[in-house]
């Protein structure tokens, strides 16, 4: 095997299959892998080098299925190309500063026809990106016809895998494909045809084919809760090299080894060209590797930019733009690829706030030594920052409470005339100079903060296996103290924080809501119980933040009710 340490990642390559056997993401200041995971690992690289294997043991193939026929063989050959067992010849070189090249070559014979398979891996120092080029060329001066479609597998899923089989845990895992200028997000393990990405339900069969628009496959990839990998197909000079489409497994296994496979329809190659193919080992200019005459159809060059790393904006960058620019011809990663870092486009809207929260979380944790206390400090700090707004809300609620007897009279008098009741209510508010909207302002301002917090605390690696106090052993998971497995009730978890949260939510609404209308009262009492279903299986870090916010709001409202003076 061959080891390449590129800085952010470690790659283990093998001449068997001419492939990447394992990919490790290394611990760093910006990628904070939990010691609890690394210390308990039996993998020497994980334990000693402080790096996490992220390909679920499947590696990355970048392998054509030359010996595969689709007729009746199912998904197994798609998951395990036969060429993964072949022994490739290897050459290593350093073609340019900051670039390490590993090249595998293999003569292939199919139906008494000689082909050559060339696989070039170019790893860039300090980058989570690398360049992969796979070439299939005809060595004989007669055309080659495969007799069907050629399948090409880049790699499968990304891990680590789910730690439980709960629907929320499974929802963090999925795949995506950009085809015909459309991004499709696909459900992950065991999701069938109905996933959290809003895919329609029903049995769609074992595979989904993307073949209606040849030459439009832009990228395929997969993500787990914290990591993401994708292959972006770059252009070459030859139209022959663009893939026609892909086949996607609808219901992949937990092992995740047959997620998606590229397709060349009715694969054929022209007779070998007289001119030598420009694939000089160690070429300093990558254009020398992928240049192919437009008219030349005796070879296919699959040119790919590959990313493997953390799902975070600060990781999806070129750390050395000069080296990356020389390799990919661009000074920054394709901006559209940012859309797949987040689990939804909606969460991506709040990415900058999310990044600021994560930075603040790390900053505070460096001083207090625990992410649970850091969350509490951030929650208290945010309450202090929004103190003027909360005081505005408290005073508004106090004034509205003082008007409750008058409002009760209006509600009773006009109970059958909602329009007149609303009109009289607003007249009372105007008379006493009360603006009810002021009471909602603090909540409205906190909505984007909470959405960003949800994204930060559920999909950032900082809280993974991070303990807090007593029963709270992992802030990235619900604070389960007991799982009930009795008769027909199996797998029901008993969580403490959501119960504390719902009690604080009820107390807050009781103190801050003025409701004379029976329907409003019912809603006031129901809302906390609706919230408990929403928060029951959320990461305890999110629930902890919300609970602290509620408790502070209750204390402030109690103080306001006792000490604030009602203005005439």
């Amino acid at each position: 095997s061959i080891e390449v340490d590129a800085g952010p990642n470690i790659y283990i390559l093998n001449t068997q299959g001419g492939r990447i056997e394992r990919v490790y993401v290394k611990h760093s200041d910006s990628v904070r892998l939990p010691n609890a995971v690394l210390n308990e690992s039996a993998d020497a690289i994980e334990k000693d080098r402080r790096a996490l294997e992220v390909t679920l043991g499947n590696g990355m193939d970048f392998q054509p299925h030359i010996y595969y026929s689709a007729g009746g063989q199912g998904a197994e050959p798609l998951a395990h190309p036969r060429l993964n067992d072949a022994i490739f010849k290897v050459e290593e070189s350093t073609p340019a500063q900051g670039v390490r090249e590993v090249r595998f070559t293999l003569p292939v014979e199919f139906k008494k026809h000689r082909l050559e398979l060339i696989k070039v891996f170019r790893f860039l120092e300090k980058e989570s990106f690398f360049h992969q080029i796979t070439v299939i060329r005809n060595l004989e001066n007669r055309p080659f016809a495969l007799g069907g479609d050629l399948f090409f597998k880049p790699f499968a899923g990304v891990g680590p895998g789910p730690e439980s089989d709960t629907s929320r845990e499974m929802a963090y895992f999925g795949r995506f494909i950009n085809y015909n200028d459309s991004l499709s997000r696909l459900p992950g393990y065991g999701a069938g045809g109905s996933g959290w990405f809003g895919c329609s339900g029903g049995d769609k069969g074992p595979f989904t084919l993307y073949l209606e628009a040849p030459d439009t496959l832009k990228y395929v990839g997969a993500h787990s809760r914290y990591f993401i990998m994708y292959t972006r197909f770059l252009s070459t000079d030859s139209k022959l090299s663009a893939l026609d489409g892909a086949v996607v497994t609808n219901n992949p296994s937990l092992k995740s080894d047959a997620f998606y496979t590229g397709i060349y329809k009715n694969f054929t190659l022209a007779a070998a060209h007289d001119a030598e193919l420009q694939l000089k080992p160690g070429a300093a200019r990558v254009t020398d590797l992928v240049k192919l005459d437009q008219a030349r159809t005796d070879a296919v060059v699959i040119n790919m930019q590959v990313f493997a790393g953390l799902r975070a904006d600060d990781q999806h960058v070129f750390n050395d733009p000069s080296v990356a620019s020389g390799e990919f011809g661009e000074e920054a990663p394709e901006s559209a690829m940012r859309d797949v870092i987040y689990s939804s486009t909606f969460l991506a809207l709040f990415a900058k706030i999310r990044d600021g929260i994560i930075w603040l979380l790390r900053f505070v944790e460096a001083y207090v030594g625990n992410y649970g206390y850091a969350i509490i400090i951030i929650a208290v700090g945010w309450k202090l920052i929004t103190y003027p707004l909360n005081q505005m809300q408290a005073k508004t609620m106090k004034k509205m409470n003082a008007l409750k007897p008058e409002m009760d009279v209006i509600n009773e008098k006009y109970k059958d005339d909602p329009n007149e009741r609303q009109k009289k209510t607003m007249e009372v508010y105007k008379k006493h100079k009360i603006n009810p909207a002021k009471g909602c302002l603090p909540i409205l301002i906190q909505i984007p903060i909470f959405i960003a917090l949800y994204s930060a605390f559920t999909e950032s690696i900082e809280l993974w296996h991070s303990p807090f106090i007593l029963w709270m052993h992992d802030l990235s998971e619900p604070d389960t103290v007991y799982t009930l497995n009795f008769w027909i009730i199996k797998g029901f978890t008993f969580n403490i924080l959501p119960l504390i949260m719902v009690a604080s939510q009820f107390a807050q609404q009781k103190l801050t809501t003025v409701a004379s209308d029976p329907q409003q009262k019912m809603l006031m009492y129901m809302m906390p119980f609706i919230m408990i279903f929403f928060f029951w299986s959320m990461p305890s870090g999110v629930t902890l933040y919300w609970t602290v916010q509620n408790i502070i709001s209750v204390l402030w409202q109690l103080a306001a009710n006792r000490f604030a003076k009602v203005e005439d």
Side-chain angles (χ1 to χ4, degrees), residues 377-502:
I377 290 171
I378 291 172
V380 174
W382 178 246
K383 274 296 185 183
L384 292 174
I385 291 172
T386 57
Y387 177 78
L389 292 174
N390 283 283
Q391 282 298 96
M392 182 191 305
Q393 181 187 35
K395 289 179 180 179
T396 300
M397 291 300 106
K398 182 67 176 178
K399 289 181 178 181
M400 291 175 71
N401 273 322
L403 295 175
K404 188 174 183 300
E406 191 172 349
M407 300 302 297
D408 287 342
V409 172
I410 292 174
N411 286 323
E412 179 62 28
K413 185 176 181 179
Y414 301 102
K415 61 182 179 181
D416 297 325
D417 189 350
N419 292 331
E420 188 65 22
R421 183 177 59 199
Q422 180 68 20
K423 179 181 176 182
K424 295 296 183 181
T425 299
M426 296 310 297
E427 287 177 359
V428 172
Y429 286 155
K430 185 176 181 180
K431 175 183 175 182
H432 293 276
K433 300 179 180 179
I434 294 175
N435 182 0
K438 289 184 178 180
C440 301
L441 188 59
I443 298 174
L444 293 175
I445 289 177
Q446 290 193 72
I447 287 176
I449 300 295
F450 177 72
I451 294 171
L453 278 163
Y454 172 79
S455 177
F457 292 169
T458 56
E459 297 182 355
S460 59
I461 202 168
E462 279 71 17
L463 301 187
W464 186 31
H465 281 276
S466 179
F468 182 32
I469 56 172
L470 302 176
W471 74 97
M472 298 175 65
H473 306 297
D474 186 349
L475 289 168
S476 70
E477 297 293 333
D479 63 320
T480 301
V481 293
Y482 184 73
T483 301
L484 188 63
N485 289 299
F486 175 71
W487 195 31
I488 60 173
I489 304 175
K490 292 186 178 181
F492 178 78
T493 60
F494 186 77
N495 309 325
I496 295 178
L497 259 183
L499 298 176
I500 300 174
M501 186 277 300
V502 76

Side-chain angles (χ1 to χ4, degrees), residues 313 338 342 346-356 452:
D313 272 343
R338 183 179 174 275
Y342 299 96
F346 177 70
L347 291 180
L349 296 174
F350 305 93
K352 294 303 180 184
I353 303 175
R354 173 189 185 270
D355 293 345

Side-chain angles (χ1 to χ4, degrees), residues 242-260:
L243 286 119
D244 293 314
V247 55
V248 177
T249 305
N250 287 336
N251 192 15
S253 67
L254 179 62
K255 193 176 179 183
S256 166
D257 51 6
F259 262 14
Y260 36 65

Side-chain angles (χ1 to χ4, degrees), residues 309-363:
L310 202 63
R311 293 178 66 184
D313 272 343
D314 63 351
Q315 298 299 302
H316 193 253
V317 296
F318 292 154
N319 295 308
D320 190 339
S322 61
V323 173
S325 176
E327 192 69 23
F328 300 118
E330 55 190 22
E331 295 183 354
E334 170 63 41
S335 58
M337 299 307 301
R338 183 179 174 275
D339 293 342
V340 300
I341 294 177
Y342 299 96
S343 57
S344 73
T345 305
F346 177 70
L347 291 180
L349 296 174
F350 305 93
K352 294 303 180 184
I353 303 175
R354 173 189 185 270
D355 293 345
I357 291 169
I358 294 173
W359 178 88
L360 183 60
L361 191 66
R362 292 173 180 169
F363 179 81

Side-chain angles (χ1 to χ4, degrees), residues 505-506 509-515 518-529:
Q505 184 79 16
F506 180 80
Q509 287 204 237
K510 184 75 174 175
L511 290 167
T512 60
T513 304
V514 179
Q519 292 183 347
Q520 290 182 354
K521 284 185 177 180
M522 183 179 295
L523 182 62
M524 181 185 76
Y525 289 120
M526 286 181 60
M527 186 56 67
F529 295 100

Side-chain angles (χ1 to χ4, degrees), residues 138-178:
N138 188 359
L139 295 181
E140 298 192 4
N141 33 351
R142 59 190 175 101
F144 169 76
L146 183 64
D149 302 336
L150 177 69
F151 296 88
F152 175 78
K153 178 188 176 186
F155 55 84
V158 59
E163 297 183 25
S164 67
D165 59 357
T166 63
S167 59
R168 180 174 291 276
E169 181 70 13
M170 289 294 190
Y172 294 120
F173 295 79
R175 302 150 294 154
F176 49 88
I177 178 171
N178 188 296

